[in-house]
Amino acid sequence: MTEPLDGRTVLVPRGGAWGERVARLLTDRGAVAVIAPLIETTPPRDVEARGRSFAALAAGEYDWVFITSAAAVEHLRAAGVEIPAATKVAAVGRATARAVVDAGFDVDFIPAGRSSALSLTQQWCSAHDPAGVGRCLVLRSDLAMAVVSDELEIRGYAVDVCIAYRTVGVDLAEGIVDDLRSGRIDTVLLTSTSVVRELSHQVGALPEHTLLASLGPGTTRDAERRGLTVSLTAPEQSVEALIAALPRTSLEART
């Protein structure tokens, strides 16, 4: 049985439906959830280029679409884009796959193990031959590295890239910054390198007892490069796994 998080005040660094869902997971376990977005996603600078890619996707011009984040699904939905039944979907991990399914589409491929663009590409390519696959579309953010598209292209697949959205920082309210610096908010979920960047830039040093919980090893490495001490890296790259690991870590921190 998972132990409760009573006494923990946890910063949820993204808003919207994702932030509300994470806040419910935390409050169900007894924590106080503070939704204070450090980042948000907006349409890309080249909206027309995205529109052309979205239109081609909706028209069934792609055999496969690679979705590398739940945020990409949000922007598909906001644009009213329907993924045709004949177009197969490869999702980078379970959280992204869940977003795809929640949007009403099927998922045809999820990599085993940790969620990463490299795992997605390597495992997918091992199961498919370029001669038997038509055009592929990769949806990603402006900040994401071109791992999937580069690997597909090198291996001989026909691939197009769509910058589905861009990630921008959000200024925290002064009261939230004070609560972080004082330790009144004692736990922070580090869900991406963009969150790490904004936390470091806007807040700076945090009290020693503040628990920084990272969603994955890449985010942990980035946080440590910026001088932040990460207490916990999720055993699986999902926010559910991250929250499930918090009780054990918080109890250890108190002993």
Side-chain angles (χ1 to χ4, degrees), residues 181-232:
R181 289 175 177 167
S182 69
R184 287 187 290 271
I185 294 176
D186 56 45
T187 305
V188 180
L189 303 183
L190 303 178
T191 55
S192 69
T193 57
S194 298
V195 166
V196 170
R197 178 194 64 212
E198 291 298 325
L199 181 70
S200 175
H201 174 68
Q202 295 190 43
V203 182
L206 294 166
E208 286 187 11
H209 75 269
T210 298
L211 189 153
L212 298 181
S214 166
L215 192 60
T219 301
T220 297
R221 287 192 295 270
D222 189 64
E224 291 174 344
R225 281 196 295 266
R226 293 175 181 270
L228 299 175
T229 301
V230 176
S231 306
L232 163 70

Side-chain angles (χ1 to χ4, degrees), residues 55-66:
L57 173 62
E61 296 181 16
Y62 293 101
D63 284 5
W64 280 87
V65 58
F66 290 78

Side-chain angles (χ1 to χ4, degrees), residues 4-249:
L5 292 174
D6 296 349
R8 282 276 169 197
T9 300
V10 185
L11 185 126
V12 179
R14 284 176 49 198
W18 185 92
E20 293 173 1
R21 180 173 68 85
V22 172
R24 285 195 298 272
L25 291 173
L26 290 164
T27 54
D28 286 347
R29 301 278 289 282
V32 175
V34 179
I35 300 176
L38 279 158
I39 60 171
E40 65 181 8
T41 64
T42 64
R45 288 185 172 86
D46 194 341
V47 177
E48 291 184 0
R50 185 185 75 169
R52 290 191 294 271
S53 294
F54 278 7
L57 173 62
E61 296 181 16
Y62 293 101
D63 284 5
W64 280 87
V65 58
F66 290 78
I67 301 181
T68 59
S69 71
V73 181
E74 294 173 7
H75 283 267
L76 282 175
R77 296 181 68 179
V81 176
E82 295 289 329
I83 300 176
T87 300
K88 295 182 178 180
V89 176
V92 73
R94 289 186 298 166
T96 300
R98 184 183 304 109
V100 173
V101 172
D102 288 347
F105 310 122
D106 293 330
V107 176
D108 300 277
F109 187 88
I110 309 171
R114 285 192 178 274
S115 302
S116 74
L118 187 58
S119 294
L120 168 64
T121 312
Q122 290 179 338
Q123 293 181 35
W124 184 89
C125 287
S126 69
H128 298 85
D129 188 284
V133 176
R135 292 177 68 197
C136 301
L137 178 67
V138 178
L139 302 181
R140 65 175 178 85
S141 78
D142 63 326
L143 298 180
M145 296 180 66
V147 174
V148 176
S149 55
D150 284 355
E151 285 290 320
L152 290 174
E153 189 171 12
I154 289 170
R155 294 167 186 258
Y157 296 90
V159 58
D160 295 329
V161 177
C162 171
I163 305 301
Y165 62 94
R166 63 191 180 104
T167 303
V168 297
V170 177
D171 290 338
L172 292 172
E174 285 188 19
I176 298 295
V177 173
D178 290 343
D179 286 346
L180 284 164
R181 289 175 177 167
S182 69
R184 287 187 290 271
I185 294 176
D186 56 45
T187 305
V188 180
L189 303 183
L190 303 178
T191 55
S192 69
T193 57
S194 298
V195 166
V196 170
R197 178 194 64 212
E198 291 298 325
L199 181 70
S200 175
H201 174 68
Q202 295 190 43
V203 182
L206 294 166
E208 286 187 11
H209 75 269
T210 298
L211 189 153
L212 298 181
S214 166
L215 192 60
T219 301
T220 297
R221 287 192 295 270
D222 189 64
E224 291 174 344
R225 281 196 295 266
R226 293 175 181 270
L228 299 175
T229 301
V230 176
S231 306
L232 163 70
T233 300
E236 298 177 14
Q237 209 156 341
S238 72
V239 73
E240 290 83 1
L242 181 59
I243 292 172
L246 285 176
R248 178 178 59 82
T249 304

